[in-house]
Amino acid sequence: QSVLTQPPSVSGAPGQRVTISCTGSSSNIGAGHDVHWYQQLPGTAPKLLIYGNNNRPSGVSDRFSGSKPGTSASLAISGLQAEDEADYYCQSYDSTLRGCVFGGGTKLTVL
Amino acid sequence: QITLKESGPTLVKATQTLTLTCTFSGFSLSTSGVGVGWVRLAPGKALEWLTLIYWDDDKRYSPSLKSRLTITRDTSKNQAVLRLTNMDPVDTATYYCAHTHVDLWPTPLFDYWGQGTLVTVSS
């Protein structure tokens, strides 16, 4: 059971927009700790996709965006492409656990 | 250019101790602000943060594994070493090491990752 809750799966057709939620609690996201998002393509290492809730590292497409309203966060992917098919994880920090925490991961399927 | 690479046994027996080495380049674990963390991905499971060591030798551990985990660094060799005792088949996973820096963001994040190494635990 992960500390941060994500939907196990989402899907969308090419060109569509999908969102992935990440729900936390008062000891992590609700405590003001920011959220980062990682993309893990099959058979590869995770890649930092969004940091600090809504910032993209250099080289990441602007089709990816993040937000953090309250005790939850959200990743949006617009203009879906087949290459976006991957697992997506949110990550934050938990004050009670005094360590990093990941979400349970969301598998994105492009129909 | 920052790179990291994990190395160690691919197969361990239950009750044994796992030792994995992360060898990196492009940064030093003695430079202020730098950190190296370990994350694992078990088959069919989610990413799980294990431990983190900083330039000042500050160490953080996942509470659920703290009693079994040790992280150390060798700054002369540019390495971070993870030890996990009393291995069990449920510890079968791909283990990743990753770079972080306190200045990247107030909430710790990992911006460069190793390719990962699969460790299988036999009973």
Side-chain angles (χ1 to χ4, degrees):
Chain A
Q1 194 79 355
S2 299
V3 173
L4 305 178
T5 301
Q6 298 179 232
S9 64
V10 297
S11 63
Q16 286 189 331
R17 179 179 184 271
V18 297
T19 61
I20 299 172
S21 61
C22 174
T23 303
S25 67
S26 58
S27 61
N28 40 70
I29 301 176
H33 297 297
D34 292 320
V35 176
H36 315 302
W37 291 89
Y38 300 86
Q39 176 193 58
Q40 187 167 31
L41 297 168
T44 68
K47 168 191 170 184
L48 181 64
L49 194 65
I50 296 286
Y51 67 94
N53 306 322
N54 55 14
N55 300 281
R56 287 185 304 275
S58 175
V60 172
S61 171
D62 59 4
R63 297 187 299 104
F64 297 92
S65 62
S67 64
K68 189 195 129 183
T71 57
S72 67
S74 185
L75 172 70
I77 309 172
S78 60
L80 267 182
Q81 299 178 2
E83 66 205 49
D84 298 332
E85 214 167 75
D87 294 323
Y88 293 84
Y89 293 91
C90 57
Q91 179 246 310
S92 186
Y93 180 86
D94 193 283
S95 301
T96 300
L97 298 174
R98 296 189 66 204
C100 299
V101 288
F102 282 95
T106 299
K107 182 176 182 59
L108 168 64
T109 300
V110 180
L111 302 172
Chain B
Q1 179 190 3
I2 290 177
T3 64
L4 305 98
K5 187 172 185 179
E6 308 84 355
S7 60
T10 57
L11 181 65
V12 299
K13 295 180 180 179
T15 75
Q16 287 186 335
T17 294
L18 172 68
T19 300
L20 292 177
T21 300
C22 176
T23 303
F24 50 82
S25 63
F27 67 94
S28 170
L29 247 181
S30 59
T31 299
S32 180
V34 172
V36 171
W38 287 90
V39 176
R40 72 180 180 182
L41 180 64
K45 301 291 186 179
L47 293 176
E48 179 183 16
W49 172 73
L50 303 178
T51 180
L52 185 54
I53 187 167
Y54 285 105
W55 82 101
D56 58 358
D57 211 33
D58 181 22
K59 301 167 185 177
R60 306 295 173 92
Y61 296 102
S62 166
S64 63
L65 292 168
K66 187 174 183 177
S67 63
R68 300 172 51 208
L69 270 173
T70 304
I71 188 170
T72 58
R73 59 179 182 151
D74 187 330
T75 55
S76 65
K77 293 182 179 179
N78 279 346
Q79 292 178 337
V81 178
L82 174 143
R83 287 182 73 247
L84 185 60
T85 62
N86 194 23
M87 292 290 283
D88 183 274
V90 300
D91 295 312
T92 293
T94 297
Y95 288 75
Y96 299 96
C97 62
H99 168 273
T100 186
H101 194 292
V102 296
D103 287 344
L104 289 173
W105 205 261
T107 303
L109 62 86
F110 302 103
D111 57 346
Y112 293 92
W113 295 67
Q115 63 189 26
T117 185
L118 175 61
V119 178
T120 301
V121 184
S122 64
S123 55

